[in-house]
Each structure stands twice: as C-alpha cells, then as structure tokens.
Amino acid sequence: MRHLRLDQAGEIQAWLDERAEEMATLLESLVAVDTQNPPGRNLRTAAQVAAEAMQRLGLSPEVINLAPTGALDEPTIVRGAVGSGTRLVYFHGHLDVVPVQDLRQLQPERRAGRITGRGTADMKGGIVSMLYGAAAAREFDLLRDGQIVMHLVCDEETGSAVGSGYLQASNMIDARGLAMLTPEQSGGAIWNAARGALTLRVTLSGREAHVGQASRGVNAFEHMLRVALPIEAFAREMARGNRSTPMAADGVPKAMIVVGGTSGSGASFNVVPGSAWFTIDGRYHPQEDIGSIFVRLREMISETARQVGADVSIEVLQEAQSSFTEPTHPAALLLVQTIGAVEGVVPRFEMCGGALDTRWYADLGIPAFGYGPGRFDVSHGPHECVDEAAVRRCAAVYALYVGQVLSG
Ligand SMILES: [Zn+2]
C-alpha cells in the first residue's frame, strides 16, 4: 500500500504543476503584506490573505484573533483542517518575516521560475507548499480516516511565545498527533533537531557622579566588564567540540554564545555611569538542558557581582527549548522515503542552528520535522528567493507524506 501511494508522486506533481500560476500569485500576495517582525505589523492582514486561499482550497480556515501584546500589531492565528477522524498530521507555518535590508524586498519579483522578496524562503513559499500539499492530499484521497490540521502563527521570528504559546496553552496541539511538518528553509535536508535559545539582559547598578567628583561615584560600567569576563570564558568552554554525543558530528559545538551583542551604559561621557547593561545570547545543543544553563549563568553573574559589590538584575528576553526527533523514528523514515520519491535523492538529517517551532510538538512526543522549499543560505538575506518548482515539489512531498503516515 505504501508503495502504491508513492507511485502517485507523478500524478500529484502534474496536478500541482497545473496550479503553478495560482501558487505563484498566492506567494506574491503573501510577500506583498509587510509582516516584518520586529516590529510585527499587518499580522491580521496576512492571516486574512492566507485564510482566503485556504477557503478557496477547501481547508476550512478559522481566524483566531489574539489579545494585543507588546509590539505585535493584531496577533492572529489561522487554523485549518481537511479530512476527519482522530488520526492527525500537523502542518505548521509562520506568517511573520525578519526585517528587510531594502524596502524593495517587500515587492515580490517573479522572473524565470523564481520569486524574489522577503519571506519567499522563510517561509511564505513554504506556506504555499503546505496549503497546496493539504489540498492535494484531499484531492488524491490520501487522508482515509485521518486529517491534516494546519496552524499559521504570527511571531515565530521573535520566539513564538504569542502564537504557538497560545496553541499550547489552549491545548490545540493534540499529543496523539502522528507527525508534524513545518516548511522552514531546510534546503533539501530534514531538520530533525534544533538548538534551544536563551537570551538574557544583565543590568548592573552603580552610583552617578559628575566627572569633577568622580571618586564619589560607583562605576557600573566597570562592574559590567568584571561580570562579563567569566561569562566570556564560559562561552569559550561551551564552544568546544561536543564529540561525545552520538547525534553530533565531530566538532559540533555544544553551544554558541555571544556576550555583549548589545550593551550600553551611562547618561553622558562626563558622568560616572550609574547603570550598565549587556546581553548574553546563546544557542544550545539539544542535549544541553537550558534550565541548568540558566541556573549556572545566574550563579556566575551573582557571584562575580557579589565579589565586586555590584547590584545586578537579570532579565530573560527569550527562552526556547531545543527540539529533537530520532532520525530512526518510523515517521522520520517515511519522510526520507517520501522525499526520495519526489526529489530522487536521499535527504540528510541536520540540526537547525536556530530555534524551530518543531519544539512545541516534539515536547508532547510528536515526531516533528522542518522541511521546506527554501534555501538556508538566502533566507534572511538581501536576495531572498525561492524557486517555484521547489515550492510545488515540496507541496507534493507534504501531500504524499500524509498519505504515507495515515496509511500506516
Ligand atoms: Zn522561519
């Protein structure tokens, strides 16, 4: 039966190729909505564009308006479904994009089978793949007694706490889900693992004094330097190769930490700074426990601050758990087979260098993978683009994969 399903690869591809124009048009209309995050504007408008397309494709969209929060402008989730039954496969995407380098990136350009613009690779092109993949799965009767549930969230680029956090808090992710796919720009690989992220802002307080009476002040900048030094040493220690773990290739760092990516102090050059702050941003291997890393960082900071007699406060700007699904999991092997049937190559498994929304599903025990039509090396850059044929092939992978998982 599985073999038979994969034999449909050619037919499904042909069905998608007939829809090349409407798929390109949908991608262009998604790119044309400026969803740069930060700051996170026009999120409801983008959700409406996606929901209208889902309506046309028979994917029963429901637009969920979330309470305003922080800088996000009208945070919104789109949830859709096709098929019925309790056997679930999740497709998950995000409508926000990283800030542009040039405003012209918000005007999509279609040329020679390629669409250029912000979000084409990460991941509005992927959203087109997942929606048309779901439509093809229904068209080719691949759903049987199962269904695809689709989620489009609004703030993945700034940590997902609002959109995916809502899905989690509202129990909208069923732990019985058989698999989850998110069309991130994996460039032909399968992202079965993603690093966790922890971003801290450390603020030291001192006492202001005019330069003429500098000896009366307490220099918070000096405190900051002394607190930051041991953290930098910790960063070097964590960056050493992690050769002992079975999933890591030789030389894969345990963690990548940037100390002082942003920093600041003082009111003026002629005043002893009364406060100083710096950030610590880390990306951690799935085998590292972010909770204990946080405890260790906090202890190091508090200990040094105590030694130098400084007041310190620590703010968590971002915390995202890592994510990992075994590459030998049956759902992973089915994905390898499916990609092989469409692309004609055996994909490799990779760990994504950043955080992925797979974690919201993997946390519940659902095998979760990043796989999309975009390339990693162009996403977030000034020449971000996606090949239209790659978007259609990825849609075929999504459709066939559902057939594989639900026929098991
Ligand atoms: Zn993305």
Side-chain angles (χ1 to χ4, degrees):
M1 184 55 73
R2 278 187 182 159
H3 189 63
L4 201 149
R5 296 284 164 191
L6 288 180
D7 279 351
Q8 288 181 292
E11 270 176 85
I12 293 174
Q13 279 262 230
W15 185 86
L16 289 161
D17 288 345
E18 281 165 27
R19 284 154 184 80
E21 287 304 309
E22 58 182 274
M23 289 173 80
T25 304
L26 174 58
L27 176 49
E28 288 179 301
S29 29
L30 286 169
V31 173
V33 183
D34 171 4
T35 54
Q36 294 177 82
N37 183 23
R41 296 203 195 97
N42 305 313
L43 299 170
R44 193 162 298 162
T45 309
Q48 272 151 3
V49 171
E52 278 161 25
M54 290 166 76
Q55 196 70 51
R56 283 195 300 275
L57 293 166
L59 305 178
S60 309
E62 178 197 351
V63 174
I64 304 169
N65 297 321
L66 304 177
T69 169
L72 295 181
D73 179 12
E74 302 186 314
T76 310
I77 294 173
V78 191
R79 184 173 158 99
V82 59
S84 57
T86 52
R87 307 185 71 227
L88 300 182
V89 175
Y90 285 103
F91 290 176
H92 178 108
H94 64 86
L95 287 160
D96 58 328
V97 298
V98 295
V100 297
Q101 281 86 13
D102 182 321
L103 283 174
R104 280 173 295 186
Q105 288 178 281
L106 298 170
Q107 292 157 9
E109 225 181 86
R110 187 179 180 204
R111 190 179 300 160
R114 176 171 283 185
I115 297 177
T116 305
R118 175 56 87 231
T120 46
D122 182 13
M123 60 149 60
K124 289 171 171 175
I127 288 173
V128 174
S129 298
M130 80 179 230
L131 299 185
Y132 277 81
R138 190 209 39 224
E139 180 72 21
F140 286 87
D141 208 13
L142 301 173
L143 296 166
R144 301 181 154 212
D145 59 344
Q147 59 173 311
I148 304 169
V149 174
M150 284 149 276
H151 291 142
L152 295 175
V153 298
C154 55
D155 63 324
E156 195 273 346
E157 300 294 359
T158 49
S160 284
V162 177
S164 294
Y166 178 88
L167 294 175
Q168 185 191 54
S170 321
N171 295 315
M172 291 171 91
I173 304 173
D174 186 333
R176 291 170 302 176
L178 298 172
M180 175 272 200
L181 295 179
T182 184
E184 292 287 5
Q185 60 287 0
S186 63
I190 298 172
W191 282 345
N192 66 312
R195 288 183 183 274
L198 177 66
T199 313
L200 305 177
R201 179 180 157 118
V202 182
T203 304
L204 285 305
S205 322
R207 189 170 58 242
E208 286 197 337
H210 191 271
V211 62
Q213 299 180 308
S215 59
R216 295 192 182 179
V218 176
N219 190 332
F221 176 72
E222 186 198 332
H223 287 165
M224 182 187 86
L225 294 178
R226 292 171 73 173
V227 166
L229 265 181
I231 307 294
E232 184 56 39
F234 174 72
R236 278 197 301 275
E237 176 200 323
M238 294 291 281
R240 275 188 215 122
N242 191 20
R243 286 156 195 275
S244 58
T245 62
M247 63 163 289
D250 275 1
V252 171
K254 282 183 185 172
M256 297 172 292
I257 302 173
V258 174
V259 182
T262 52
S263 64
S265 73
S268 172
F269 62 83
N270 56 3
V271 175
V272 174
S275 90
W277 62 272
F278 69 102
T279 53
I280 305 169
D281 184 49
R283 297 291 184 275
Y284 300 94
H285 196 277
Q287 292 195 336
E288 304 288 335
D289 172 30
I290 296 230
S292 38
I293 288 167
F294 179 49
V295 169
R296 184 156 171 207
L297 285 169
R298 200 175 51 199
E299 280 170 0
M300 273 193 288
I301 292 163
S302 312
E303 176 57 21
T304 322
R306 195 186 58 74
Q307 283 169 15
V308 302
D311 284 335
V312 65
S313 66
I314 302 171
E315 186 189 348
V316 178
L317 299 182
Q318 173 184 215
E319 183 178 5
Q321 290 303 321
S322 59
S323 165
F324 180 63
T325 299
E326 290 287 351
T328 52
H329 191 289
L333 300 177
L334 286 179
L335 185 54
V336 170
Q337 279 180 22
T338 309
I339 294 167
V342 174
E343 296 283 353
V345 291
V346 178
R348 64 196 180 282
F349 287 95
E350 274 181 4
M351 174 166 66
C352 171
L356 282 184
D357 264 359
T358 48
R359 69 183 183 278
W360 302 94
Y361 298 79
D363 267 3
L364 297 170
I366 301 171
F369 309 97
Y371 180 79
R375 280 165 35 199
F376 188 60
D377 58 342
V378 295
S379 67
H380 296 202
H383 307 294
E384 183 169 350
C385 62
V386 73
D387 287 338
E388 292 180 39
V391 172
R392 298 196 297 273
R393 289 197 307 274
C394 182
V397 167
Y398 272 54
L400 277 165
Y401 183 65
V402 169
Q404 293 284 89
V405 170
L406 295 179
S407 70

